[in-house]
Amino acid sequence: MANEAQQKYYIKLQSLLKELPWYVEEYIDHKKRKLSAASLLNYAHDYKIFFNWLLTESLHTDEIKNIPLELLESLTIKQVEGFLNFLQYQLNNKEITVNRKLSALKSLFNYLQNIAETNDLQPYLQRNVMAKVEFNELKDSMETIANKMEGKILLGDEYESFRLFIANDYGQLNKDNKKLLNFHIFNRERDTAIVSLILGSGLRLSEVVNLDIDDIDFTKSSARVVRKGNKEQYVYFSSLAMDDLQEYLSIRANRYKVEKTNKSLFVSAPMGPKGTSRRLSARAIEKLIEKYATAFGKPSLSVHKLRHSFATRYHTEINDVPKLRRQLGHSSIQTTMIYTHIRNDDLKSAVDKMDMPKDEE
């Protein structure tokens, strides 16, 4: 299922590590059992930005990969804060993004000081400047974040309206544009199934992309996914999502000319001289959501906002934060708590309450 995507991330990761100091690769190897290849690649990108900054500040004059541990040990708090200011004011990173990159550096420096050892059992770093640097205090409270999110997600009748718009109304809206109409007719079962699945389960974009047909259990209305940290989990989805998936699968093989060896759940239209289909990419799914969202009159909608929409509806109808946390695959319950602050009183039916096995309710 996710092996194909994981392999691509690992290839990119190995290529990037060749540009970075040896101790970064050692740290990445240490984290491989706990983090996904995608997360490790993000860490490596963050480290490259930091090491490049050291060069631009003339703190090191050789290649990045030759930056010594001694330099890290000698960095001052003022220099690190200069890097964080660079992220925020020159790269225009949001405070939460700056915190994430600082967290990646804190994790690396902690490894170098408290876990890694030399041959004579000494830590790589005696002094850890990152331990002295505090995270940005985020200005927005959970309630403020929730209120901002509220205007950008689907609420109430909009869930079904958006689904029906993709299944039917988008084509009617573009009936005078033969190219758009034909493209919609060709893909509407697939596109409806994608949106219905996200709205009926809260899956992440990467989890939807990596799904294979064999990952869907049609008897239990569940999907096997690999979550952050390479954790395998079975995630339930709604009966409506099940209906839309089955309708899509009834046309998938013939319409998309799918080879028997291609087990990808969501596939692209046939391409190339041989006219074969391939796994639908993350960017392709993002673009199709953007297309429908704009035409629907809610351009702020994205794959992630559909996930937020599911979470809001689930919490409103079921009001069980620990269960919602598991459904979404959040590592921290604090992340899930955001949805308890979103006001959504006009819903008429539960997302999945009737479909949940008794031992999951």
Side-chain angles (χ1 to χ4, degrees):
M1 178 192 62
N3 289 343
E4 179 184 332
Q6 290 290 317
Q7 191 62 32
K8 288 181 180 178
Y9 285 128
Y10 273 122
I11 291 171
K12 291 180 180 178
L13 177 61
Q14 293 306 316
S15 176
L16 183 53
L17 286 174
K18 292 176 182 177
E19 304 175 39
L20 300 175
W22 61 270
Y23 46 84
V24 173
E25 183 171 5
E26 184 178 307
Y27 165 77
I28 294 292
D29 285 339
H30 170 72
K31 300 294 285 187
K32 276 181 180 176
R33 289 185 294 108
K34 298 181 180 179
L35 296 175
S36 68
S39 295
L40 293 173
L41 182 61
N42 284 334
Y43 271 42
H45 278 301
D46 291 341
Y47 298 146
K48 185 176 180 180
I49 292 171
F50 174 65
F51 290 131
N52 268 326
W53 179 83
L54 294 178
L55 266 60
T56 60
E57 292 295 304
S58 300
L59 294 172
H60 181 73
T61 56
D62 199 352
E63 292 179 282
I64 285 178
K65 64 181 180 181
N66 294 326
I67 291 177
L69 287 165
E70 290 77 15
L71 173 56
L72 304 188
E73 197 168 50
S74 67
L75 289 173
T76 66
I77 295 176
K78 186 176 181 180
Q79 287 170 329
V80 175
E81 288 177 342
F83 170 67
L84 300 180
N85 288 332
F86 163 76
L87 292 176
Q88 188 164 348
Y89 298 111
Q90 289 188 247
L91 296 189
N92 295 318
N93 286 171
K94 294 181 180 178
E95 289 181 335
I96 193 169
T97 305
V98 174
N99 279 355
R100 181 183 63 76
K101 291 179 178 177
L102 176 56
S103 177
L105 286 169
K106 280 178 172 287
S107 183
L108 172 63
F109 275 63
N110 178 67
Y111 169 79
L112 298 175
Q113 182 187 42
N114 298 312
I115 299 174
E117 296 177 331
T118 63
N119 291 334
D120 55 354
L121 305 182
Q122 295 300 308
Y124 285 179
L125 293 182
Q126 295 290 338
R127 177 178 169 276
N128 178 0
V129 67
M130 293 298 170
K132 303 179 181 183
V133 181
E134 296 181 353
F135 289 108
N136 282 326
E137 185 175 341
L138 301 181
K139 296 182 179 66
D140 289 344
S141 65
M142 275 192 181
E143 189 168 0
T144 302
I145 294 170
N147 288 339
K148 286 181 178 179
M149 188 190 301
E150 192 173 336
K152 299 178 181 178
I153 62 177
L154 297 173
L155 296 172
D157 294 338
E158 289 179 326
Y159 291 89
E160 183 60 7
S161 296
F162 188 55
R163 177 187 163 276
L164 290 174
F165 180 78
I166 295 170
N168 300 303
D169 298 345
Y170 181 84
Q172 290 299 312
L173 189 67
N174 292 283
K175 61 183 180 181
D176 295 329
N177 186 323
K178 284 293 177 88
K179 184 177 179 180
L180 286 180
L181 178 61
N182 290 336
F183 193 75
H184 175 254
I185 291 172
F186 188 88
N187 291 305
R188 62 184 174 186
E189 288 89 355
R190 182 200 66 186
D191 295 353
T192 303
I194 289 172
V195 169
S196 194
L197 179 60
I198 299 171
L199 285 176
S201 67
L203 289 178
R204 295 181 176 91
L205 174 60
S206 60
E207 294 163 353
V208 174
V209 169
N210 292 325
L211 281 173
D212 286 346
I213 292 177
D214 296 341
D215 296 320
I216 305 298
D217 187 330
F218 291 99
T219 61
K220 296 181 179 179
S221 295
S222 68
R224 181 171 65 93
V225 298
V226 176
R227 314 220 87 152
K228 289 185 174 181
N230 284 327
K231 295 176 183 176
E232 185 178 285
Q233 183 183 330
Y234 285 84
V235 179
Y236 291 100
F237 53 84
S238 67
S239 58
L240 184 58
M242 168 71 82
D243 292 342
D244 289 335
L245 273 174
Q246 289 180 324
E247 184 171 358
Y248 158 65
L249 287 173
S250 71
I251 58 92
R252 170 185 173 275
N254 289 334
R255 185 176 300 174
Y256 290 90
K257 303 188 187 310
V258 184
E259 296 177 348
K260 290 183 178 180
T261 55
N262 185 351
K263 299 298 182 181
S264 307
L265 178 59
F266 296 115
V267 294
S268 66
M271 294 182 292
K274 294 184 179 179
T276 55
S277 59
R278 62 188 69 178
R279 185 183 298 275
L280 200 62
S281 69
R283 184 60 193 135
I285 293 178
E286 286 176 328
K287 287 175 70 176
L288 73 86
I289 298 299
E290 289 168 6
K291 175 184 73 175
Y292 291 124
T294 301
F296 185 67
K298 212 154 185 177
S300 60
L301 273 180
S302 62
V303 178
H304 203 59
K305 294 297 189 301
L306 294 182
R307 175 171 155 88
H308 288 323
S309 300
F310 164 82
T312 303
R313 188 177 188 182
Y314 189 107
H315 173 70
T316 302
E317 293 298 330
I318 299 178
N319 193 20
D320 189 325
V321 174
K323 230 176 267 179
L324 176 57
R325 174 191 177 185
R326 182 186 182 281
Q327 179 77 14
L328 296 174
H330 286 159
S331 58
S332 168
I333 201 164
Q334 291 301 115
T335 308
T336 317
M337 289 297 292
I338 290 172
Y339 301 105
T340 67
H341 295 268
I342 296 179
R343 297 182 297 275
N344 184 19
D345 302 323
D346 60 341
L347 300 177
K348 296 178 181 178
S349 59
V351 176
D352 210 1
K353 195 170 184 180
M354 300 300 294
D355 298 325
M356 286 277 194
K358 295 300 180 185
D359 61 346
E360 286 293 325
E361 289 188 4

